[in-house]
Structure formats: C-alpha cells, structure tokens
C-alpha cells in the first residue's frame, strides 16, 4: 500500500473518497482526482452533483423495484409491453443486459440480490413477497427466472418455485449452454454437460 | 460502445459523468454508480463534496506551484529542508513519487507539464520563468532536472539549461539505468546503452 504524504488535506480527502470505490486503488484514485483538478470548476461541480442528486432523488419502481425517476418505471408503465410475462433478475444491471438483447418484451422484477445465508441475505431481504403478490393480483402467465447459475441462484430459484407452484403460472429459466461463436473445446465441462442434457430439436431452431 | 436505455435520467447522467474520467468506460461507470447507490446518503454526499471542495479551495504553492491548502506548501515552508537544491518535475505526481523514496531533502519546482508543440504547450504555458526567477532571487546551488526521458522532456531540459547556464548554478539530471533488481536481458537497449555510457566508479558506490 502506498502512503504518500499528500501536500494537501483536501487532495488527500478526495483521493480517499475515490479509493473507497470498488476496483479503484489509491494510484488510480489519485490519477482520477488530478484529472478532475485539471477540468473546469463547472464540470467538477456537475460531476459531484450528478451523484449526490441521483442518490437523493432516485426512486425504485413500485411495481418491479427497478431504478426509476418516477413512481412506476418506464418499462412497467409502457402499454406496448407484455405484462403477463415477468422476468425475475437480481439487479438493475441484469435488466439493462436483457434490454440490450432486444429479445424480451415482457416486464421485470428486480429481487435486489439472491438468497445467501453467508452474506446474511434471506428471502425477506429480497423482493420475493412482492413478486408473489404481483402474481396473485395480476394476470401473470409466465415467470422467467434469470438468476446466477450459482448455489445461491439455484436456492433462490427453488424458493420462488415452491412459493409459486400452487399458482397457475408457468415457471421457466433462461437457457444455459455453449455461447454463440464459442468453441466446444474451450467451454467448461459443466456448461457443456448442461447443453447436452438440455439439447433442442433442430426443427424447433429452424422455426425461430 | 454499449448504449443502454437507462430506466432513469438521473442514473444515466451520473454514469455519463463517471464515463468522462480517463480509463473509465461505461460498464465500469455503471458499476461505480450502482455501488454509490447502495451506500448511505451521507457517504455519497461526502464523496461528491470532497471533489467539489477540492476544486474550489485548493491552491497552488506560490513558490513551487505544487498543490497546497496554504499559500506556501508544506515542503517549501519546512525549515528543515534544504532550499538550495531544487528538483524540477512535470507534475505533482512526480513530487509524490520522489517524496516516497525518502532520498531527497531539497525543494521542488512543478512545471505543470513539458514543452510539447504538438499539444500546443510552449515554454510560456509552463512555470519556467518562475523557476528562473527563483534561481535569480534565491541562493540556489543545484537544479536537478527530473523530467520524462522523451523528446519533449529532452527539449524542456535543454531549454531550461540554456536559460540557466549564465547563472552560477549546477544543473544535473537524475540517473537513468538498469532498475534495481532488473535483469540485463530484459532491459531495453536504450536504457542499457545509457547505463554503460554513464557507468560509475565502483568505489563511489561503496561509499554511499
């Protein structure tokens, strides 16, 4: 760990704050702060205020718990989206990733994490009850589980499955397999094994 | 380039601001912003204010042009430092690097860059005149040039040398050579060549 004797408390303070960010060490923090010091004061003000304002004013959608500027987010309030299919994800980043594919026109439900007793995250810390209520009070036909393929993800999948199995709703999970453009030789055994077990009818693919 | 359709203008705004920082792409920017969103509001306020306050209140030392909270920086105003030796560097980061070695007890002069016509940086954009004045008005015995070993660095070294050669001051540059712990086989030819040309008397080393 580098411990520079900074010539300025203000500089040291700003570097300390940047170094708290994940993946930013003190060297990078110093580089970023010195960059901002070279910018115009108005730009630095914009930078600092953007994050303060975000934290103060951002809301969580009261339907899907995605980040939103309004009470109900733009996806949930979009009438052209299919509200009978809900894709369950961990975080807002997953929403963005799936939106980027442009292959999904349903709605989302952001859990805010997955069940992980090691990290002290139980079902009550997540937006699972609100998901169940959403299924109960709305005309939901299908729930797509799109969580991590880890033990925690599997646990969460199973927990949601148990809670919902008495309801008349189809529960699916996203497909796992060899990535497109990927070579078999370089695919890990678990994924390759899963892709053989979950093999698809070639004629089904042709119809896509 | 990824172009997510962000569910929140505030979020997009904050990500845009972070993505302006050098070496921070939009994916990293989003990760950092989402991290800050999970922090307490007071911590985010501290983060944003630290950089705004730094930009507003930081000064440049009126002697060496290093960053400082006071009119004269802590190095220049330290009576136990030798003010007859001035080490000329490009940026404040160089000051921190040299201070970290704990091998130098003189003072500094921060040019703010090096002469680089390609980037529109001439001698007048740098703190060269103030350096000359410092030599003229103070009892300076030695100027150590510690600039980059690039064409621009060499140009700046030569410019300063010409300006100072009529004054009674010794002008030195820091030694370039094979790094300590470095193997000859992996040292670039230029550095190795320079280290042979500037070879030292072994007995001088023994006396260090």
């Amino acid at each position: 760990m580098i411990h520079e004797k900074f010539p300025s408390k203000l500089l040291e303070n700003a570097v300390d704050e940047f170094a708290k960010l994940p993946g930013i060490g003190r060297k990078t923090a110093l580089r970023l702060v010195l960059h901002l010091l070279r910018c115009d004061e108005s730009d630095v003000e914009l930078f600092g205020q953007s994050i303060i304002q975000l934290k103060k004013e951002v809301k969580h959608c009261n339907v899907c718990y995605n980040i939103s500027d309004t009470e109900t987010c733009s996806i949930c309030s979009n009438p052209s989206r299919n509200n009978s299919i809900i894709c369950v994800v961990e975080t807002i980043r997953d929403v963005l990733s799936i939106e980027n594919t442009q292959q999904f026109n349903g709605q989302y439900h952001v859990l805010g994490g997955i069940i992980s007793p090691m990290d002290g995250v139980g079902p009550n810390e997540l937006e699972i009850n609100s998901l169940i209520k959403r299924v109960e009070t709305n005309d939901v036909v299908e729930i797509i589980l799109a969580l991590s393929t880890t033990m925690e993800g599997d646990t969460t999948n199973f927990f949601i499955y148990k809670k919902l199995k008495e309801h008349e709703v189809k529960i699916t999970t996203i497909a796992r397999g060899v990535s497109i453009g990927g070579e078999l030789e370089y695919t890990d055994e678990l994924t390759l094994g899963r892709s053989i077990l979950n093999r698809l009818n070639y004629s089904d693919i042709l119809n896509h």
Side-chain angles (χ1 to χ4, degrees), chain A residues 2-206:
Chain A
I2 319 148
H3 257 299
E4 290 101 349
K5 273 205 304 187
F6 283 104
S8 152
K9 270 275 158 218
L10 292 168
L11 177 71
E12 188 170 2
N13 194 17
V15 170
D16 285 345
E17 287 295 330
F18 269 78
K20 282 182 196 162
L21 296 174
I24 307 280
R26 287 184 70 82
K27 278 222 163 179
T28 307
L30 178 61
R31 192 164 52 82
L32 296 179
V33 170
L34 290 180
H35 167 85
L36 283 167
L37 259 185
R38 281 194 302 270
C39 295
D40 290 341
E41 192 172 321
S42 60
D43 288 342
V44 175
E45 183 86 28
L46 275 180
F47 174 85
Q49 286 301 337
S50 73
I51 184 73
I52 294 174
Q53 201 194 357
L54 171 68
K55 182 67 188 176
K56 271 198 187 135
E57 297 179 16
V58 84
K59 295 177 185 71
H60 287 270
C61 169
N62 56 11
V63 179
C64 73
Y65 299 91
N66 193 0
I67 282 175
S68 171
D69 292 344
T70 46
E71 291 295 321
T72 306
C73 78
S74 55
I75 295 177
C76 287
S77 56
N78 184 344
S80 73
R81 294 191 74 121
N82 184 348
N83 59 12
S84 65
I85 304 182
I86 297 175
C87 181
V88 179
V89 294
E90 289 168 40
T91 66
I92 170 210
R93 267 150 87 185
D94 302 326
V95 174
L96 294 173
S97 300
I98 295 176
E99 282 297 284
N100 265 344
T101 68
Q102 302 189 320
Q103 298 292 323
F104 181 65
N105 193 38
Q107 295 193 340
Y108 294 93
H109 197 86
V110 182
L111 295 181
I114 38 180
I115 297 172
S116 173
M118 293 279 282
D119 303 318
V121 181
N124 292 329
E125 271 77 47
L126 305 173
E127 292 298 339
I128 292 182
N129 289 331
S130 54
L131 173 66
I132 311 297
K133 198 173 266 175
R134 228 176 133 182
V135 172
E136 282 168 352
T137 52
N138 291 278
D139 216 9
V140 179
V141 175
E142 182 177 352
I143 295 284
I144 304 175
L145 299 168
L147 307 181
S148 301
T149 347
T150 56
M151 213 169 67
E152 289 83 4
D154 289 344
T155 306
T156 314
N157 279 341
F158 189 64
F159 186 88
I160 294 175
Y161 171 75
K162 276 211 305 185
K163 284 267 187 186
L164 285 179
K165 72 175 173 189
E166 281 140 41
H167 296 79
E168 262 190 41
V169 60
K170 188 174 158 190
I171 301 175
T172 57
T173 72
I174 57 169
R176 312 288 180 170
V178 180
S179 61
I180 291 169
E183 295 182 40
L184 294 200
E185 194 179 341
Y186 301 114
T187 307
D188 66 288
E189 292 158 21
L190 270 176
T191 305
L192 190 54
R194 186 87 80 96
S195 76
I196 291 171
L197 287 177
N198 299 341
R199 62 194 175 278
L200 303 168
N201 251 330
Y202 190 64
S203 56
D204 290 347
I205 309 247
L206 287 178

